[in-house]
Amino acid sequence: MSAFEVLRENSLRPELQSLGGPTVQLRPGVPVQQLEVLARSNPTLGVPEVHELVKSCSGFEIRSLAEFDFLGGLEFELAEAFPRGIAIGSNKFGNFWLLDATALGSESLPIYFVSHDPPIFVLEGINLQSFLESLFQRLTVSKPGGPRLVPLRT
């Protein structure tokens, strides 16, 4: 299953549609011609997995919980730990999911969750597909609290 298929399938889960509209909103993909132009300034778009995903979906939002932008539009920098880290997600509380572009040229790149308080880094996926699978396995919806992520179990 591709990263986009994981996103599409999980965004349609009935329990995520039950709180007055979709909990997961997918953003439209980028046309191939525009993607080629963007790839000149965004090296992660040269990674096959990212390139394929962005053609169908440039990002998504989990209502009141997190936003994801696969085009690198989120501001974050922690050069000491991730000199080539690119923020692809934010939980809106100062914590981020980073794509580690250290291994550019690979078929896929690992994704880390970076928390500011307490300061921790957690490997959340060895590629976009495994990251998205883990994210949606942990996403639950409860009334009246709305969507939330269940913590990772070690």
Side-chain angles (χ1 to χ4, degrees), residues 69-88:
D69 181 347
F70 302 123
L71 298 174
L74 300 173
E75 301 259 342
F76 178 84
E77 188 173 321
L78 187 58
E80 303 84 24
F82 295 97
R84 298 184 74 188
I86 298 168
I88 61 164

Side-chain angles (χ1 to χ4, degrees), residues 69-126:
D69 181 347
F70 302 123
L71 298 174
L74 300 173
E75 301 259 342
F76 178 84
E77 188 173 321
L78 187 58
E80 303 84 24
F82 295 97
R84 298 184 74 188
I86 298 168
I88 61 164
S90 167
N91 72 353
K92 302 181 182 183
F93 297 104
N95 304 311
F96 289 85
W97 286 273
L98 293 181
L99 192 70
D100 185 5
T102 305
L104 270 176
S106 299
E107 286 294 311
S108 60
L109 301 174
I111 290 89
Y112 290 87
F113 179 74
V114 180
S115 169
H116 76 285
D117 188 19
I120 59 169
F121 312 136
V122 178
L123 176 65
E124 287 235 26
I126 59 170

Side-chain angles (χ1 to χ4, degrees), residues 30-48:
V30 177
V32 174
Q33 302 86 341
Q34 185 181 353
L35 191 55
E36 299 306 324
V37 172
L38 290 171
R40 294 182 197 137
S41 61
N42 184 342
T44 59
L45 294 176
V47 175

Side-chain angles (χ1 to χ4, degrees), residues 117-139:
D117 188 19
I120 59 169
F121 312 136
V122 178
L123 176 65
E124 287 235 26
I126 59 170
N127 57 31
L128 276 171
Q129 179 186 342
S130 67
F131 162 68
L132 292 169
E133 287 170 349
S134 170
L135 180 76
F136 282 106
Q137 284 173 357
R138 296 181 297 117
L139 181 63

